[in-house]
Amino acid sequence: MSVTNLNEIEKADVLVVGLRKHLKEVQEIGITTDAINRLEEAAKDLRQKDAEVDKLRRQATLKAHENLELIADLKAQMLSMRTAVKSRYPQYEWIKYGVQDKR
């Protein structure tokens, strides 16, 4: 959970508790039970969505690592094949075999 979101959720929770303790007083200034309930629900929703975002971030990190492994394997295979072509054929023929770089 991000620190910013966690801080805001904690502030909302503390506010809800304080407002509920002094409900009669805060009703006099226009803060209703429904408003407090909506604030509590918003904090709950944010907590849930933030957990979902964390899960997606972990999944994205795993996929990124998988991609890094795949590209490393791809590069190793290409290097092996280019090296074989370069060692067997003269430079002017390399392009015929798809080897684009030159010595």
Side-chain angles (χ1 to χ4, degrees):
M1 181 174 289
S2 75
V3 175
T4 302
N5 290 353
L6 181 60
N7 287 340
E8 293 304 314
I9 291 168
E10 288 175 356
K11 288 177 189 178
D13 289 344
V14 169
L15 183 59
V16 165
V17 170
L19 293 173
R20 286 195 196 284
K21 279 184 183 178
H22 303 283
L23 187 58
K24 286 189 179 194
E25 294 170 42
V26 297
Q27 283 177 336
E28 292 175 6
I29 57 171
I31 298 175
T32 64
T33 303
D34 288 340
I36 297 170
N37 290 341
R38 284 193 307 273
L39 177 62
E40 188 175 39
E41 189 65 28
K44 178 183 170 187
D45 289 346
L46 179 58
R47 185 177 285 116
Q48 177 186 354
K49 293 297 179 188
D50 210 46
E52 290 174 18
V53 168
D54 283 345
K55 181 180 176 183
L56 291 171
R57 281 189 184 125
R58 286 189 299 275
Q59 290 173 346
T61 299
L62 290 175
K63 291 294 180 184
H65 287 291
E66 288 174 12
N67 270 3
L68 291 174
E69 290 173 8
L70 289 172
I71 198 160
D73 181 55
L74 177 77
K75 285 181 174 184
Q77 289 181 45
M78 289 190 311
L79 178 63
S80 171
M81 291 177 191
R82 281 195 303 254
T83 302
V85 168
K86 287 179 177 183
S87 67
R88 174 69 173 93
Y89 301 102
Q91 184 176 359
Y92 65 89
E93 288 186 6
W94 292 353
I95 195 71
K96 175 170 81 172
Y97 298 100
V99 177
Q100 300 174 17
D101 56 345
K102 298 181 180 184
R103 283 190 186 165

